[in-house]
Amino acid sequence: NNCTNDADQDGTFDLLDACPLLAGYQSLDFRKSTIINFSDNRPKWQIFDQGREVMQTDAGDLSLLLANARFGSFQLSGTLFVNSEEDDDYIGFVFAYQSNRRFYLVMWKRR
């Protein structure tokens, strides 16, 4: 029975499926991402949870970590947080990246 390990029959085992009961939902895998640094003061990125979680562990200058994924219409959900009382740099995410001059950016600054 295909439903034993793949309840929504989308070809992804339930254990690895972002939404095991609904086909068509998927998570990004940041293990094959591209890092774009805008200076020599580069931050350190770490990737956890089989590519589903990203953390910048050492702050640096402006940097982008881009998932190598293409989507048409999509709905995004996730969690962003700053685990520091002192750091008030920007945090955000990029989508529809085409070049260093053509992309959409959603960002926040704590203060």
Side-chain angles (χ1 to χ4, degrees):
N1 181 352
N2 289 341
C3 292
T4 303
N5 295 314
D6 184 11
D8 59 9
Q9 298 183 16
D10 65 354
T12 302
F13 288 117
D14 291 343
L15 184 63
L16 302 174
D17 201 331
C19 190
L21 299 178
L22 295 171
Y25 286 79
Q26 59 184 331
S27 60
L28 291 174
D29 186 345
F30 287 98
R31 291 176 291 189
K32 296 178 183 176
S33 57
T34 300
I35 297 172
I36 298 175
N37 294 300
F38 293 92
S39 79
D40 290 333
N41 184 15
R42 299 175 177 193
K44 183 177 178 184
W45 294 93
Q46 289 189 320
I47 299 170
F48 304 98
D49 194 17
Q50 297 160 348
R52 293 179 286 217
E53 182 179 339
V54 177
M55 183 184 333
Q56 189 184 77
T57 55
D58 291 330
D61 289 337
L62 179 61
S63 178
L64 302 175
L65 183 124
L66 302 173
N68 292 331
R70 294 189 180 271
F71 299 101
S73 176
F74 69 96
Q75 181 177 346
L76 177 69
S77 66
T79 303
L80 294 171
F81 67 93
V82 176
N83 192 17
S84 170
E85 293 296 321
E86 295 84 35
D87 196 353
D88 67 345
D89 293 341
Y90 289 95
I91 185 172
F93 61 92
V94 169
F95 62 95
Y97 180 88
Q98 297 175 26
S99 72
N100 287 351
R101 294 178 174 251
R102 296 188 66 178
F103 59 87
Y104 292 97
L105 172 63
V106 178
M107 60 192 247
W108 298 265
K109 187 170 177 77
R110 190 175 71 189
R111 296 184 193 154

